[in-house]
């Protein structure tokens, strides 16, 4: 009987793996209750770009490689890496700004958006920023 149960569990695990395409998929519910599944780094980067250009409202002040109102995304990532900063903590409003802190008051309103991102959305946004 024990062998039968173990065989059944192994079979169900294999079927689940095959049904998911063998991918290491993550899923998460959004505040609206819809489930989002992102499986590959390319999909995460695409999701991050949508957040950056859409609900994140980032393009109002930031461009990929040029200073607009705020510093370029490349400069932000480079600066946080060089100073050992935690970009996620900053975007969650849990750390002080490292890059152009004098401009922080203009960015503060947008942190109300980024600090509410789900963990998968934040991961996607950071991956997108690092892909630039």
């Amino acid at each position: 009987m024990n062998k039968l149960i173990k065989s059944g569990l192994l079979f169900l695990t294999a079927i689940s793996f095959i049904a998911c395409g063998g991918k290491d998929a993550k899923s998460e519910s959004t505040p609206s209750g819809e489930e989002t599944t992102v499986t590959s780094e390319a999909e995460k980067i695409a999701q991050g770009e949508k957040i950056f250009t859409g609900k994140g409202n980032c393009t109002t002040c930031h461009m990929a490689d040029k200073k607009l109102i705020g510093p370029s995304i490349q400069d932000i990532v480079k600066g946080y890496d060089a100073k050992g900063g935690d970009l996620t903590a900053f975007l969650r409003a849990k750390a002080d700004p490292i890059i152009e802190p004098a401009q922080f008051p203009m960015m503060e309103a947008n942190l109300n958006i980024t600090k509410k991102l789900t963990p998968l959305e934040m991961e996607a946004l950071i991956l997108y920023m690092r892909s630039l």
Side-chain angles (χ1 to χ4, degrees):
M1 177 80 167
N2 200 10
K3 282 185 176 180
L4 182 61
I5 292 172
K6 286 181 181 177
S7 296
L9 287 174
L10 183 60
F11 176 74
L12 289 174
T13 302
I15 293 297
S16 296
F17 184 79
I18 292 167
C20 291
K23 297 178 180 176
D24 182 22
K26 291 183 182 180
S27 67
E28 181 173 293
S29 293
T30 62
S32 64
E34 68 185 52
E35 191 168 288
T36 307
T37 301
V38 180
T39 55
S40 72
E41 188 168 307
E43 289 173 318
K44 289 177 188 176
I45 289 170
Q47 181 187 18
E49 182 178 17
K50 286 180 185 174
I51 293 166
F52 187 85
T53 59
K55 79 178 185 178
N57 202 28
C58 309
T59 55
T60 303
C61 299
H62 301 283
M63 293 178 69
D65 58 351
K66 296 178 184 157
K67 180 174 176 60
L68 190 58
I69 295 169
S72 74
I73 298 307
Q74 291 173 349
D75 287 344
I76 292 169
V77 170
K78 194 182 315 179
Y80 270 80
D81 288 350
K83 295 180 180 182
D86 185 342
L87 188 53
T88 299
F90 169 68
L91 292 173
R92 293 256 185 242
K94 295 180 179 180
D96 292 330
I98 292 176
I99 310 300
E100 298 186 19
Q103 289 193 1
F104 178 69
M106 287 192 295
M107 168 111 187
E108 226 168 344
N110 285 11
L111 290 182
N112 288 324
I113 298 168
T114 59
K115 69 183 179 184
K116 293 176 185 174
L117 295 176
T118 67
L120 284 177
E121 288 174 323
M122 182 62 77
E123 178 186 5
L125 178 60
I126 298 294
L127 276 173
Y128 170 69
M129 292 173 68
R130 291 189 173 284
S131 75
L132 300 173

